[in-house]
């Protein structure tokens, strides 16, 4: 090397050494590195971290050898104010040659031989590249572990917060659910994530558990609301049952009015649901169920009462609609008769037979709507030349 080249190379290597030292210090202060050093690991994580630790041990050993070369080079440079040929030759050897000595690793006795183990010699660049490879192996393991911890541990904290909140709500409610299975599952998942984050994924189990806890929390919250609102909601339900009674009465009146005019099948007779609903309400009042279950039963009863009232009103409307359908068919038959007169078919025996048949069906009581509609259709087709 020239004097200027040696000076430049030495300054560059010193900067490189300081940068590497900074990276290694950052590694040792990394949060995940500090946590993993004291953790009890198992499974895939234990194996991955063991390999990373071997790489880290080799890295530190190589770094010591690398720094030793640079110290010697700095000592050579400091020996004289102006570098001589001997110093330049030595610096060229240290900074550019295979100056970094990697001692042969001690092997287990069963892997040894009686022949001497040769040390390995590397240039500074080769040493830095090898240290970089080891460094990346360690940081790669840390990144993979940190990714799992960063993703799963906050969700575990949220699930445990849900569990604590459920316990608080249950205390307020005065009842306790059996959540021992969920607690055990939470402990199992946390242990798996902490001890073996690189092992089998736990996300699906955690998703399922989170859904169960969210559902349990929603149930307890609903139970508290129902407990506080039970008296008011019961009064509202009693009023709703009165509306069911009124709607069912309307359906019965409609059936009575329509059945004399329209032929109805036996199943068209309105059936009352109000007594069953009232019985369910009485049973709810004396129930020994927990409030979580009573909340579900009350919500179901409220929904059933609402549907019963709607169904009864719909039945009444449908029944009255049958009379309207009969009247619509009568009007249609009259319009077809007027058309027959305009076309000169009023005296046609076949057409008039169809007309009389339809008229007899429509003006009979009770009217068979299905047969009457078919008869009107047949008459209309006849006077339209087979076309509607």
């Amino acid at each position: 090397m020239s004097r200027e080249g040696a000076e430049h190379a030495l300054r560059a290597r010193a900067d490189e050494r300081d940068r590497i030292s900074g990276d290694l210090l950052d590694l040792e202060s990394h949060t995940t590195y500090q946590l993993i050093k004291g953790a009890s690991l198992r499974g895939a994580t234990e194996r991955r971290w063991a390999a990373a630790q071997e790489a880290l041990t080799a890295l530190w050993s190589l770094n010591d050898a690398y720094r030793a070369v640079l110290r010697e080079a700095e000592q050579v440079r400091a020996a004289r104010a102006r570098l001589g040929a001997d110093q330049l030759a030595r610096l060229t050897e240290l900074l550019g040659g295979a100056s970094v000595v990697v001692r042969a690793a001690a092997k287990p006795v069963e892997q040894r031989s009686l022949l001497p183990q040769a040390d390995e010699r590397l240039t500074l660049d080769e040493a830095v590249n090898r240290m970089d490879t080891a460094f990346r192996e360690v940081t790669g393991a840390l990144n993979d572990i940190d990714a799992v911890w960063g993703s799963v541990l906050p969700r575990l904290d949220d699930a445990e917060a849900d569990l604590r909140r459920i316990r608080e709500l249950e205390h307020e409610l005065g009842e306790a659910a059996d959540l021992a299975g969920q607690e055990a599952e939470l402990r199992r998942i946390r242990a798996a994530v902490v001890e073996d984050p690189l092992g089998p994924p736990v996300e699906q189990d955690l998703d399922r558990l989170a859904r169960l806890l969210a559902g349990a929390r929603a149930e307890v919250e609903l139970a508290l609301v129902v407990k506080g609102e039970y008296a008011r909601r019961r009064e509202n339900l009693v009023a709703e049952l009165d509306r069911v009674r009124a709607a069912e009465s309307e359906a019965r009146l409609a059936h009575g009015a329509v059945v004399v005019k329209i032929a109805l099948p036996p199943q068209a007779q309105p059936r009352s649901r109000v007594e069953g609903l009232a019985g369910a309400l009485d049973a709810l009042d004396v129930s020994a169920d927990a409030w979580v279950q009573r909340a579900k039963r009350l919500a179901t009863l409220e929904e059933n009462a609402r549907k019963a009232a709607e169904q009864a009103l719909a039945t009444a409307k449908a029944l009255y609609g049958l009379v309207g359908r009969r009247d619509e068919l009568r009007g249609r038959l009259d319009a077809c008769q007027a058309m027959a007169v305009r076309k000169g078919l009023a005296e046609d025996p076949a057409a008039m037979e169809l007309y009389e048949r339809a008229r007899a069906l429509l003006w009979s009581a009770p009217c068979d709507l299905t047969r009457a509609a078919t008869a009107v259709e047949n008459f209309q087709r006849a006077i339209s030349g087979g076309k509607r």
Side-chain angles (χ1 to χ4, degrees):
M1 287 184 178
S2 66
R3 291 184 180 88
E4 293 77 8
E7 295 280 4
H8 176 76
L10 193 56
R11 286 195 302 271
R13 291 298 180 181
D15 291 341
E16 180 181 67
R17 175 190 58 200
D18 293 342
R19 178 179 53 78
I20 291 173
S21 296
D23 288 339
L24 292 176
L25 288 175
D26 289 344
L27 174 62
E28 289 203 318
S29 62
H30 191 279
T31 301
T32 303
Y33 178 81
Q34 293 296 323
L35 290 173
I36 205 73
K37 280 203 310 182
S40 175
L41 303 177
R42 55 185 169 88
T45 308
E46 182 181 23
R47 294 188 294 272
R48 177 83 176 273
W49 186 241
Q53 284 182 307
E54 289 182 6
L56 188 58
T57 299
L59 190 159
W60 278 111
S61 178
L62 188 56
N63 185 59
D64 289 342
Y66 164 85
R67 291 172 67 88
V69 171
L70 292 184
R71 280 196 304 272
E72 182 179 350
E74 288 171 339
Q75 290 169 359
V76 170
R77 174 61 189 88
R80 292 180 59 179
R82 180 176 175 78
L83 292 171
D86 291 342
Q87 286 78 27
L88 285 173
R90 183 57 179 157
L91 286 175
T92 300
E93 181 183 354
L94 290 172
L95 298 177
S99 54
V100 180
V101 179
V102 181
R103 301 298 178 189
K107 296 181 179 179
V109 67
E110 66 273 13
Q111 298 178 15
R112 299 176 191 170
S113 77
L114 295 180
L115 299 176
Q117 299 297 310
D119 295 334
E120 187 178 7
R121 303 186 70 88
L122 306 172
T123 64
L124 289 173
D125 285 337
E126 290 171 340
V128 171
N129 287 334
R130 187 171 296 187
M131 285 192 288
D132 182 63
T133 299
F135 185 81
R136 290 177 182 274
E137 181 174 352
V138 177
T139 56
L142 289 176
N143 286 335
D144 290 346
I145 292 169
D146 190 55
V148 176
W149 281 356
S151 169
V152 177
L153 290 179
R155 295 186 58 204
L156 277 170
D157 293 340
D158 291 342
E160 289 173 350
D162 265 350
L163 185 58
R164 287 193 299 272
R165 181 57 180 157
I166 291 170
R167 292 303 191 197
E168 293 170 359
L169 293 172
E170 287 177 339
H171 180 74
E172 186 178 346
L173 188 64
E175 299 173 351
D178 182 11
L179 296 175
Q182 286 83 347
E183 288 179 325
E185 182 72 352
L186 264 177
R187 289 193 298 270
R188 182 192 69 78
I189 293 175
R190 181 172 287 279
V193 171
V194 170
E195 297 174 8
D196 190 14
L198 304 182
V202 299
E203 281 78 5
Q204 287 189 350
D205 290 343
L206 185 54
D207 289 342
R208 176 181 51 78
L209 183 58
R211 287 193 298 269
L212 288 174
L213 290 174
R217 177 172 176 171
E219 286 183 350
V220 178
E221 289 173 342
L222 176 61
L224 272 173
V225 171
V226 170
K227 184 178 181 180
E229 297 179 347
Y230 185 75
R232 177 184 61 80
R233 289 174 68 176
R234 189 189 187 286
E235 290 180 3
N236 292 341
L237 189 52
V238 170
E240 185 65 24
L241 292 181
D242 288 339
R243 286 190 286 274
V244 175
R245 289 188 182 91
E248 289 183 349
S249 177
E250 177 68 17
R252 287 193 296 272
L253 289 174
H255 184 271
V258 172
V259 73
V260 297
K261 300 177 181 180
I262 307 296
L264 299 175
Q267 58 268 29
Q269 174 72 41
R271 291 177 173 79
S272 175
R273 296 182 58 193
V274 70
E275 296 306 322
L277 293 170
L281 178 57
D282 292 340
L284 188 61
D285 287 337
V286 299
S287 172
D289 285 348
W291 275 107
V292 170
Q293 296 302 319
R294 293 182 76 180
K296 293 179 181 179
R297 291 175 59 187
L298 177 61
T300 300
L301 190 53
E302 290 169 333
E303 178 67 10
N304 289 343
R306 182 187 64 78
K307 288 182 177 179
E310 291 177 353
Q311 183 178 358
L313 291 174
T315 297
K317 182 178 180 180
L319 287 169
Y320 285 126
L322 295 176
V323 177
R325 171 63 173 159
R326 183 204 63 181
D327 294 342
E328 185 270 330
L329 287 172
R330 285 180 175 181
R332 185 174 158 193
L333 181 63
D334 290 343
C336 289
Q337 174 63 4
M339 181 186 297
V341 172
R342 288 196 302 272
K343 289 186 173 183
L345 298 175
E347 303 302 326
D348 182 270
M352 288 305 99
E353 181 180 353
L354 293 173
Y355 168 76
E356 291 297 337
R357 176 173 177 76
R359 189 175 188 285
L361 287 169
L362 284 171
W363 268 266
S364 63
C367 171
D368 186 330
L369 278 181
T370 301
R371 294 175 61 198
T374 301
V376 172
E377 181 79 16
N378 291 337
F379 178 56
Q380 184 175 359
R381 187 180 295 109
I383 65 172
S384 300
K387 300 179 181 180
R388 285 205 53 183

